C-alpha cells in the first residue's frame, strides 16, 4: 500500500510541531518528515517533539548531509530519535543544497554519502572493527557509548541523477526525488535504481520511490495555486532542469532564478505556467490535489509526501489534507 507523508519545514515555535503531528497521525498520515534546509532549525528539535506526541507514524529528517554534520553526529541524532519514538525513526541523507552560502564545499558527493551511510550503519549496529574510507574513518574500537533502540534504521537517499539513484539502489531502502510531483519521473527513477540494485543483488522493487513537493491546498483553488507558484519558485530554480521528462519554456529557469536571487519570489512565481507548476507542486482544491496524488500512486510511487506550506496557513492545510484529500485516495 502506498504511504502518504507530510513534510514540515523547521520554522515553527515549540509546541506547534506536536499539535500538527497529533492532527496528522489522527487523520491517517503514515510518515512525518522534517526538512533539513539551510538556516532553518535543525530537524532533530521538531522530530523529538513530534515523537513524544505520536505513537504510530514513522519520523525522520529529509535530509541531513555529511558536509555540515559528521557521520558520528548523524548516527547519534538518529539513535536519539529512534529511542524517543520507540523504533519509528528513519534517516534521510543527501548531498545538501545552498551550502556555498556558508562556505562548505561538497567534494565527491557520492563517496561522501556512501561512506556516511556506512559509518552510521556501523555505529548503530555496534560494529567496532573500524573503517577506513576515502573521506570518513572510524578507529578500531570507536563506537557509540549508549544503548540504541535498533541496530539499523531505514535509509532514504535524496537524489535526482542517475549516479545518485544507482547508489540508492545499492544501499538505500528508499529514494526521494524532492521537489517533484511528476508521475513521469517514477519509471525514470526505477530504471536509474536498477544498476545499483543489480550490483548489490537486490530486486529494484525493494527500493521505495518517494516523491515530495511544495503543497498548497485550499477550498479557494485559485488562491492556493497562486501561493504555490510563489513557494515553488526557489525550488524550481534548483530542480527543474534535473527532470528529463519536462520541456520548459526557453529562459524560464534563468529568469525565475534571477528573480528569486533578488528576493522577488512572487514575480518569479507568476512566470511559472500551470502545466509546469503541476510537475513541481501539489496545488489547488482538495479534489485537485487528490487527483495529482492519485496519479502518482497509480504510477507506482511508494510514498507521496505533501510538503510545506500545505495551505494558505499551515494548520488549515494540514487539516484539509487529512480530512478532504486523504479520504479521496485509493491506495
Amino acid at each position: 500500500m502506498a504511504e502518504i507523508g507530510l513534510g514540515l519545514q523547521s520554522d515553527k515555535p515549540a509546541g506547534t510541531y506536536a499539535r500538527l503531528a497529533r492532527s496528522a497521525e489522527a487523520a491517517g498520515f503514515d510518515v512525518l518528515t522534517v526538512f533539513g534546509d539551510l538556516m532553518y532549525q535543525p530537524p532533530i528539535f521538531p522530530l523529538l517533539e513530534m515523537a513524544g506526541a505520536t505513537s504510530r507514524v514513522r519520523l525522520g529528517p529529509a535530509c541531513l548531509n555529511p558536509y555540515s554534520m559528521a557521520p558520528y553526529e548523524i548516527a547519534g541524532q538518529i539513535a536519539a530519535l529512534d529511542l524517543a519514538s520507540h523504533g519509528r525513526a528513519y534517516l534521510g541523507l543527501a548531498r545538501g543544497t545552498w551550502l556555498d552560502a556558508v562556505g562548505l564545499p561538497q567534494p565527491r558527493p557520492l563517496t561522501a554519502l556512501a561512506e556516511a551511510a556506512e559509518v552510521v550503519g556501523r555505529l548503530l549496529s555496534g560494529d567496532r572493527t573500524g573503517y577506513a574510507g576515502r573521506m570518513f574513518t572510524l578507529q578500531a574500537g570507536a563506537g557509540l557509548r549508549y544503548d540504541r533502540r535498533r541496530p539499523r534504521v531505514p535509509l532514504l537517499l535524496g537524489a535526482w541523477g542517475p549516479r545518485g539513484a544507482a547508489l540508492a539502489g545499492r544501499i538505500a531502502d528508499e529514494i526521494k526525488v524532492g521537489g517533484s510531483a511528476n508521475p513521469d519521473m517514477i519509471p525514470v527513477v526505477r530504471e536509474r535504481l536498477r544498476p545499483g540494485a543489480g550490483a548489490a543483488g537486490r530486486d529494484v522493487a525493494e527500493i521505495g520511490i518517494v516523491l515530495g513537493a511544495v503543497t498548497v491546498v485550499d477550498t479557494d483553488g485559485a488562491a492556493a495555486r497562486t501561493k504555490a507558484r510563489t513557494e515553488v519558485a526557489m525550488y524550481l530554480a534548483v530542480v527543474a532542469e534535473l527532470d528529463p521528462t519536462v520541456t520548459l519554456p526557453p529562459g524560464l529557469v534563468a529568469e525565475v532564478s534571477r528573480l528569486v536571487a533578488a528576493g522577488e519570489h512572487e514575480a518569479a512565481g507568476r512566470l511559472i505556467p500551470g502545466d509546469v507548476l503541476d510537475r513541481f507542486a501539489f496545488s489547488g482544491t482538495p479534489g485537485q490535489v487528490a487527483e495529482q496524488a492519485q496519479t502518482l500512486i497509480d504510477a507506482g510511487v511508494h510514498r507521496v509526501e505533501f510538503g510545506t506550506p500545505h495551505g494558505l496557513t499551515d494548520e488549515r492545510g494540514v487539516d484539509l489534507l487529512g480530512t478532504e484529500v486523504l479520504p479521496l485516495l485509493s491506495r
Side-chain angles (χ1 to χ4, degrees):
M1 184 176 78
E3 292 183 324
I4 306 297
L6 196 67
L8 300 172
Q9 189 59 274
S10 53
D11 58 351
K12 305 172 198 354
T16 304
Y17 301 107
R19 186 167 62 252
L20 288 172
R22 280 191 291 265
S23 297
E25 185 171 74
F29 284 94
D30 304 295
V31 183
L32 298 179
T33 291
V34 176
F35 306 136
D37 290 345
L38 185 71
M39 295 300 184
Y40 287 91
Q41 296 166 351
I44 190 64
F45 158 54
L47 286 167
L48 288 174
E49 183 176 302
M50 293 193 298
T54 57
S55 61
R56 177 185 57 80
V57 292
R58 296 197 296 125
L59 300 155
C63 292
L64 304 180
N65 76 81
Y67 299 107
S68 62
M69 187 181 297
Y72 82 89
E73 180 66 22
I74 292 173
Q77 291 199 12
I78 291 303
L81 178 61
D82 209 40
L83 281 169
S85 64
H86 305 289
R88 293 182 284 131
Y90 81 87
L91 169 62
L93 291 177
R95 64 170 293 172
T97 305
W98 305 302
L99 294 182
D100 56 335
V102 290
L104 284 180
Q106 297 165 282
R108 296 179 289 182
L110 295 177
T111 299
L113 288 171
E115 292 189 2
E118 180 70 21
V119 170
V120 169
R122 286 172 180 253
L123 289 171
L124 292 179
S125 69
D127 183 338
R128 293 176 179 262
T129 59
Y131 174 73
R134 287 189 287 170
M135 297 185 69
F136 302 115
T137 62
L138 284 174
Q139 289 186 354
L144 300 179
R145 299 182 181 182
Y146 48 84
D147 291 336
R148 279 82 64 205
R149 172 77 184 204
R150 292 180 292 175
R152 183 185 182 279
V153 300
L155 174 66
L156 173 148
L157 283 188
W160 271 83
R163 296 173 65 204
L167 176 61
R170 183 164 63 85
I171 69 171
D173 299 279
E174 296 178 309
I175 179 172
K176 181 180 178 183
V177 182
S180 178
N182 181 6
D184 293 340
M185 274 300 297
I186 295 169
V188 173
V189 174
R190 189 171 290 115
E191 287 308 305
R192 290 177 174 182
L193 289 166
R194 202 173 298 281
R202 305 175 70 194
D203 183 345
V204 72
E206 295 176 13
I207 302 106
I209 298 173
V210 181
L211 264 63
V214 161
T215 303
V216 185
V217 62
D218 196 80
T219 51
D220 184 342
R225 289 178 68 79
T226 296
K227 183 176 176 105
R229 282 182 164 88
T230 300
E231 295 289 334
V232 84
M234 67 180 291
Y235 299 105
L236 190 78
V238 175
V239 304
E241 293 183 324
L242 299 176
D243 189 328
T245 75
V246 173
T247 301
L248 298 168
L252 175 67
V253 172
E255 185 61 11
V256 167
S257 299
R258 183 188 70 79
L259 290 168
V260 167
E264 298 180 38
H265 292 253
E266 290 186 13
R270 286 195 293 269
L271 297 179
I272 300 172
D275 59 338
V276 174
L277 178 67
D278 288 340
R279 298 288 178 149
F280 298 100
F282 302 99
S283 66
T285 64
Q288 288 175 303
V289 170
E291 184 177 355
Q292 282 188 274
Q294 190 65 54
T295 302
L296 295 182
I297 293 168
D298 293 344
V301 78
H302 174 66
R303 181 161 92 246
V304 176
E305 187 170 277
F306 294 123
T308 190
H310 307 118
L312 300 183
T313 66
D314 220 337
E315 299 208 24
R316 170 69 170 158
V318 171
D319 178 66
L320 285 172
L321 287 167
T323 61
E324 296 195 27
V325 174
L326 262 61
L328 295 176
L329 300 179
S330 175
R331 299 194 265 164

